[in-house]
């Protein structure tokens, strides 16, 4: 048996986000979850709308100390969470000091446990006033966002060494503005492009603001990155048409955004979940996307494809930046596949490190079960199971495996 050792000071962590765990948020998502349109849509599909309303979620807002103890049990030395913009700035230009203090407590609770916080500034949800002003589709959106960023950089700067500006910009733009699945449920390519461009601007502005603020406070400047969802695209049988479509998808999905922001980036956060085999056919010329074999899938039908992370990491090498895997995880209610999933991905990450990718950390998604956006509470991504009626957390067997890896800093092969 071979021991695959990870670099010294490797960050071993888990990831969560505000809307998915905190409970009682009042933002564009909470409004949408309860909207007549959404409820009708779910009932039509024969689903119980209650399972799709975030409500109290994991009550992490009040149970964060207990949850950070669970991260400690996993031997995590890092944790990624997000700040909820709608709590900090519930009305345009008006900040809520009580909520600012809350997140200070959250950051201190991590520091007390020797857990390095990786703080996401924006993870999909926006204040209601922002959404009313056309959300990310408004050309002033980056400016509105930077007002919030400046405030949190000033308030939390001394407690944060790692900032993640935006979570998965393309996933958001496509699901919200192109496929009409997430609020505001638009299907408009022009708006999608506008949103992407505004997110690029917002990232760059945030980068400059945080740099300036951390220099002003004479502190060791914070590292600023993004959490980018990249996919391993593969051309079926290497046929020329598949290769062409693959290159196109690869450029747009994996490279375009990063190329635009690469001069405003201290590290890359990679969220890896997917392999996408491109297979064109003349019978169904529009259906060439996502033609995977799907031999091994998660509870929500996502193909498990650990080797893909190796290719995605090698592709990121050219940016010459440190890389943190800011998300990688599986919906697996019975916990039958999770341990193997983690170990196999780590093997390929190790291989990528051997081949020159500067990977410095791994964050499993997620610490505990949580609200999985449009899929509601059904998918179970957690190392800890959550009973949503009692808010009890129970470790799944895979949590022991992950805790051992985090402690030993190696996996065996
Ligand atoms: C998101 C998370 C989400 C996870 C699993 C990522 O797209 O950042 O919020 O829960 O994937 O779907």
């Amino acid at each position: 048996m071979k021991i695959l050792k990870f670099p010294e000071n490797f960050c071993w962590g888990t990831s969560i986000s505000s809307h998915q765990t905190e409970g009682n948020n009042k933002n564009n998502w909470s409004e949408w979850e309860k909207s007549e349109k959404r409820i009708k849509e779910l009932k039509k599909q024969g689903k119980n709308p209650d399972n799709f309303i975030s409500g109290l979620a994991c009550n992490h807002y009040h149970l964060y100390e207990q949850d950070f103890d669970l991260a400690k049990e996993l031997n995590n030395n890092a944790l990624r969470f997000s700040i909820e913009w709608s709590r900090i700035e519930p009305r345009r230009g008006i900040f809520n000091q009580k909520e600012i203090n809350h997140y200070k407590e959250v950051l201190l609770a991590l520091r007390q446990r020797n857990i390095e916080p990786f703080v996401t500034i924006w993870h999909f949800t926006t204040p209601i006033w922002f959404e009313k002003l056309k959300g990310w589709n408004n050309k002033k959106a980056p400016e509105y966002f930077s007002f919030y960023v400046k405030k949190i950089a000033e308030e939390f700067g001394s407690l944060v060494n790692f900032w993640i500006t935006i979570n998965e910009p393309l996933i958001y733009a496509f699901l919200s503005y192109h496929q009409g699945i997430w609020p505001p449920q638009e299907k408009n390519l022009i708006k999608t492009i506008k949103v992407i461009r505004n997110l690029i601007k917002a990232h760059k502005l945030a980068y400059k603001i945080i740099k300036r603020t951390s220099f002003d406070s004479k502190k060791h400047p914070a590292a600023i990155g993004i959490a980018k969802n990249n996919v391993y695209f593969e051309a079926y049988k290497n046929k020329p048409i598949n290769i062409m479509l693959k290159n196109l998808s690869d450029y747009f999905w994996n490279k375009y955004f990063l190329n635009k922001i690469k001069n405003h980036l201290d590290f890359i956060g990679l969220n890896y979940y997917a392999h996408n085999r491109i297979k064109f056919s003349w019978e169904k010329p529009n259906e060439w996307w996502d033609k995977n074999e799907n031999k091994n899938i998660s509870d929500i039908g996502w193909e498990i494809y650990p080797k893909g992370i190796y290719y995605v990491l090698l592709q990121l090498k050219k940016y010459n930046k440190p890389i943190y895997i800011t998300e990688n995880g599986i919906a697996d209610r019975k916990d039958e596949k999770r341990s193997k999933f983690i170990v196999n991905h780590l093997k390929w990450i190790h291989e990528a490190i051997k081949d020159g990718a500067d990977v410095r950390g791994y964050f499993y998604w997620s610490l505990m079960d949580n609200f999985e956006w449009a899929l509601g509470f059904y998918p179970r991504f957690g190392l800890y199971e959550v009973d949503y009626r009692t808010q009890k957390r129970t470790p799944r067997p895979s949590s022991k495996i992950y805790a051992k890896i985090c402690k030993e800093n190696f996996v065996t092969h």
Side-chain angles (χ1 to χ4, degrees), residues 15-17 20 80 123-124 167-168 171-172 175 182 227 229 271-273 300 302 326-331 365-366 370-373 375 379 381:
S15 231
I16 52 174
S17 88
Q20 295 178 272
R80 176 178 170 230
H123 199 123
F124 299 153
N167 183 64
E168 301 188 346
I171 292 275
Y172 170 77
L175 294 185
W182 286 2
N229 170 299
N271 291 2
Y272 173 79
Y273 290 93
I300 49 175
W302 296 2
T326 37
E327 278 183 42
N328 174 236
I330 180 173
W365 181 274
S366 184
N370 56 51
F371 180 72
E372 180 52 31
W373 305 112
L375 299 179
F381 277 90

Side-chain angles (χ1 to χ4, degrees), residues 236 239 279-288 291:
Y236 179 67
K239 285 190 180 166
K279 186 180 178 185
F280 179 84
S281 77
W282 286 109
E283 294 84 65
K284 292 182 180 166
N286 294 329
E287 293 178 26
W288 46 270
K291 294 286 164 196

Side-chain angles (χ1 to χ4, degrees), residues 338-385:
R338 188 171 286 104
S339 300
K340 204 166 161 202
F341 176 98
I342 295 175
V343 170
N344 285 342
H345 280 82
L346 286 171
K347 279 179 196 164
W348 283 110
I349 293 167
H350 189 272
E351 196 65 20
I353 295 175
K354 224 171 72 191
D355 290 343
D358 184 7
V359 184
R360 301 197 184 174
Y362 176 86
F363 295 74
Y364 176 79
W365 181 274
S366 184
L367 173 62
M368 61 207 164
D369 295 336
N370 56 51
F371 180 72
E372 180 52 31
W373 305 112
L375 299 179
F377 285 110
Y378 161 68
R380 301 278 181 158
F381 277 90
L383 288 164
Y384 289 86
E385 183 187 340

Side-chain angles (χ1 to χ4, degrees), residues 52 65 84 94 100 114 121 128 132 160 172 174 178 185 191-192 220 222 258 298 315 322 333 348 354 370 385 403:
F52 297 82
E65 297 219 55
E84 178 62 34
I94 312 281
I100 291 172
N114 277 326
I121 299 176
I128 293 166
K132 283 192 182 146
V160 181
Y172 170 77
F174 274 87
H178 186 254
Q185 291 197 285
K191 286 189 180 172
T192 311
H220 174 71
L258 286 176
S298 73
Q315 194 179 52
R333 177 181 291 261
W348 283 110
K354 224 171 72 191
N370 56 51
E385 183 187 340

